[in-house]
Amino acid sequence: MKKLVIAEKPSVARDIVNVLGKFEKRDEFYENDDYVVSSAIGHLVELFMPEDMDLNLKKWTLDTLPILPKKFEKKPIEQTKKKFSELKKLMARKDIDVVINACDAGREGELIFTYIYELAGCKKNIKRLWLSSMTIEAIRDGFLHLREEEEMKNLQYAAKCRSEADWLIGINGTRAVTTKMFRARTGNAATVGRVQTPTLSMICTREKEIINFVPRDYWQIIGNFGLTNGVYPGTFNKPNVQKNDQHDRLDRLWSEEEAIQIVNEVKASQLAIVSEKKKHTKQNAPRLYDLTTLQREANTRYAMPAGMTLNLAQSLYERHKCITYPRTDSNALPEDYGPTCLNILGSIHQEFKEFADMAIENNWVDPTNKKIFNNKQISDHFAIIPTMKQPASLSEEETKIYSMIVRRFIAIFFPSAEFDVTTRISMVGNHEFFTEGKVLVNPGWLAVYGKVAAGPESETIPAISEQDGKPAKANVLEVNLVKDATRPPARYTEATLLAMMEGAGKMVDDEELAEAMKERGLGTPATRAQTIDHLISLKYIERNKRDLIPTPKAEDLFAFLDAFNISVLSSPALTGEWEYKLRQMEQGKLDRESFINGIVELTKDIVEKIKLFEETDKTLRQSTLISPSDNLP
């Protein structure tokens, strides 16, 4: 008897064939005495649309909503029907007794295989190939340790629930909103979704904040002070800040009259009494990359769209086999991965070899470091790191992403960077001026990024000498009044939007807090880029250089959603809770029925609110969301 291996993509099928031995190519699959290896080409199966269940549902009316299937039927996707038929025939072969799921090791890969297997009516035993890298060694090891079907049940449940939840919210929400608007005007569908609508909500909310922003003038006072060894600047600081003003800072004065009075008082003085505190600080290396962090940094550094970064990382993983599985939300490694990291460091050559060798020679790979090796912080996959395979013929863009991953991997093992920080206060009468100097004294991990320790001549502010006396005195050389104004919040870039999606609408810079928020993020690392691209394709948002800007179509949609008072559909935090529950299901902490029941109730609530909504002169306005040239079913 033989085993049928189904990969997600043809390229992965070829890699598996190259590892398992000699095969003969037959049509769209490979075969030898032990295995038949074939592949899907991504999704081959989709859920029934309403009209597939009942032709009467082809027409969009509020009377037929909500549509709540008792069972979600499946059908082949029309464009790839031939491929599905080929896999169905292979699964039906009498000489095959086991089917190995070799689709991508994650929720979506599980869904692709499960839908194919179920629609084909296959009943044969299932094994799961779970890979975190595509090297020869990893594939061999994966086949030696195939997972049992029962181990994958929770992930399978979560995958199917995600698909069904998106169907319920997407189909009912889109039909309800569109139909309600269609009564007043003709046009196309107002597409809404469980993840895309809260994501769009963040962009629209930010745009509204920008439009409604009223700038406020403020003044800063900058002084120049002279010591025996040189001149340094200082910024006037108020003795307190009004906490109820989000724009307020110690260095801002909101009254020009007050600012002028302080300037005159300082100018009337000739000396400042100087005191300072010196502090030695350390900065740890940033944690290893997960996909979202990689996408954010690539967008910030190279203006790469998130989808482009994912495609480049996928190419480095599948084609070049030089990094581990990229679609991960983990930034830690398994606790037994110390020896593997040493082997990877030993295999690194060319521009990074010097630093990799330093990490090895100094025994900096510490398997007890929980910020690197931590089983509790690993979900389906661990952090993105290089493999022992050295890539060749990378494109310029692939090289950028690969270099980012290698540098981050090496840097994580280096000591902290160390700084000497001087905080200086110059008192002119009762007025305080603040100055800070920061000097890198030990680059530590920053050496991997080309930083070197500063010499004595690199002091950022002149040191106090004996001639300045005790307490030290400085001459007041110059006092300048600078006028400025508050600025509106910046538009989202893909980097900042990804951060908000990961934190379910909360910008979280603290590593530990960000880690805690990940489980309540919008979508998954693998789908966030797709969500952004989908919103662009639907013409809800546009790219303007790095900025993401909502279109009038998006603004119109939210005018209606606000009127419908469907906060759950547009709230990132609330929708992030659903993603958290999917994760709990993967971990066996939540049953499938409870989750779907919650989604069904949410769907009913959305439809009911839309049905009861009555348009007013305020909401019944000319809409750019609806175009007469488009047809509505």
Side-chain angles (χ1 to χ4, degrees), residues 93 137 150 219 229 250 277 318 414 427 429 486 521 540:
R93 277 177 41 169
E137 294 79 11
E150 194 59 32
W219 289 261
N229 295 337
L250 286 171
K277 294 180 181 178
E318 284 184 8
F414 269 58
M427 294 296 300
T486 57
Y540 278 138

Side-chain angles (χ1 to χ4, degrees), residues 203 219 227 329 334 350 387 412 440 442 444 470 476 527 577 623:
I203 300 172
W219 289 261
L227 292 172
D329 62 355
Q350 299 173 350
T387 65
I412 196 74
L440 179 64
N442 182 355
K470 289 186 179 180
V476 179
T527 61
E577 286 293 324
S623 173

Side-chain angles (χ1 to χ4, degrees), residues 315-329:
S315 175
L316 293 171
Y317 167 69
E318 284 184 8
R319 181 183 169 200
H320 300 286
K321 302 170 181 59
C322 60
I323 68 167
T324 56
Y325 188 75
R327 296 168 183 257
T328 176
D329 62 355

Side-chain angles (χ1 to χ4, degrees), residues 208-219:
K208 192 179 293 184
E209 291 171 354
I210 293 170
I211 292 169
N212 295 332
F213 183 81
V214 178
R216 184 181 177 190
D217 291 338
Y218 65 87
W219 289 261

Side-chain angles (χ1 to χ4, degrees), residues 361-380:
E361 292 164 6
N362 289 282
N363 295 318
W364 284 339
V365 178
D366 178 9
T368 66
N369 187 337
K370 291 297 184 182
K371 286 193 173 182
I372 305 174
F373 304 99
N374 194 329
N375 290 342
K376 293 181 180 178
Q377 294 180 4
I378 295 171
S379 53
D380 296 334

Side-chain angles (χ1 to χ4, degrees), residues 72-334:
F72 285 88
E73 302 288 349
K74 295 174 280 291
K75 65 178 182 178
I77 296 172
E78 194 61 38
Q79 297 91 322
T80 54
K81 203 170 185 178
K82 182 181 176 183
K83 188 67 180 176
F84 171 76
S85 297
E86 291 170 355
L87 290 178
K88 183 177 179 179
K89 287 178 183 176
L90 291 175
M91 282 187 274
R93 277 177 41 169
K94 293 182 178 180
D95 61 339
I96 287 174
D97 64 344
V98 173
V99 183
I100 297 175
N101 175 7
C103 292
D104 283 0
R107 188 196 291 169
E108 212 58 25
E110 200 67 25
L111 186 70
I112 288 171
F113 174 84
T114 299
Y115 275 3
I116 293 170
Y117 180 88
E118 290 181 348
L119 185 58
C122 189
K123 303 295 182 184
K124 294 176 180 178
N125 290 335
I126 298 172
K127 298 285 186 180
R128 186 54 155 112
L129 177 68
W130 194 266
L131 300 177
S132 286
S133 79
M134 289 299 296
T135 61
I136 293 173
E137 294 79 11
I139 294 173
R140 282 177 180 160
D141 185 65
F143 272 93
L144 288 174
H145 300 91
L146 292 171
R147 296 186 179 185
E148 297 298 326
E149 178 184 7
E150 194 59 32
E151 293 180 68
M152 311 311 301
K153 281 295 183 185
N154 290 331
L155 182 63
Q156 183 189 117
Y157 293 152
K160 294 171 78 170
C161 281
R162 193 282 305 159
S163 176
E164 292 166 10
D166 285 346
W167 192 100
L168 287 166
I169 299 297
I171 294 293
N172 286 286
T174 296
R175 286 192 171 209
V177 174
T178 302
T179 305
K180 194 72 172 182
M181 298 159 93
F182 183 67
R183 287 180 175 178
R185 59 190 73 78
T186 59
N188 63 350
T191 311
V192 297
R194 186 181 57 92
V195 173
Q196 75 174 46
T197 306
T199 301
L200 183 60
S201 171
M202 291 190 290
I203 300 172
C204 289
T205 301
R206 176 60 57 88
E207 193 68 17
K208 192 179 293 184
E209 291 171 354
I210 293 170
I211 292 169
N212 295 332
F213 183 81
V214 178
R216 184 181 177 190
D217 291 338
Y218 65 87
W219 289 261
Q220 291 178 304
I221 303 171
I222 310 297
N224 281 325
F225 303 91
L227 292 172
T228 306
N229 295 337
V231 177
Y232 66 92
T235 302
F236 170 78
N237 273 359
K238 295 181 295 191
N240 56 61
V241 166
Q242 298 297 321
K243 292 183 179 180
N244 60 350
D245 190 334
Q246 62 177 330
H247 300 293
D248 207 355
R249 293 190 336 208
L250 286 171
D251 60 346
R252 291 181 177 178
L253 291 160
W254 303 104
S255 164
E256 183 178 19
E257 182 180 344
E258 180 187 4
I260 292 172
Q261 180 181 339
I262 294 171
V263 168
N264 290 335
E265 290 175 2
V266 173
K267 283 182 175 179
S269 302
Q270 297 182 344
L271 289 176
I273 304 300
V274 183
S275 61
E276 64 182 24
K277 294 180 181 178
K278 291 184 179 292
K279 184 169 66 173
H280 190 74
T281 65
K282 295 183 178 183
Q283 183 185 38
N284 293 328
R287 301 193 69 180
L288 295 167
Y289 284 122
D290 57 28
L291 177 58
T292 301
T293 309
L294 181 66
Q295 290 171 316
R296 286 170 57 187
E297 289 203 11
N299 182 255
T300 300
R301 189 176 301 181
Y302 302 118
M304 286 184 183
M308 179 181 180
T309 299
L310 175 56
N311 290 338
L312 291 170
Q314 199 70 23
S315 175
L316 293 171
Y317 167 69
E318 284 184 8
R319 181 183 169 200
H320 300 286
K321 302 170 181 59
C322 60
I323 68 167
T324 56
Y325 188 75
R327 296 168 183 257
T328 176
D329 62 355
S330 301
N331 48 24
L333 297 174

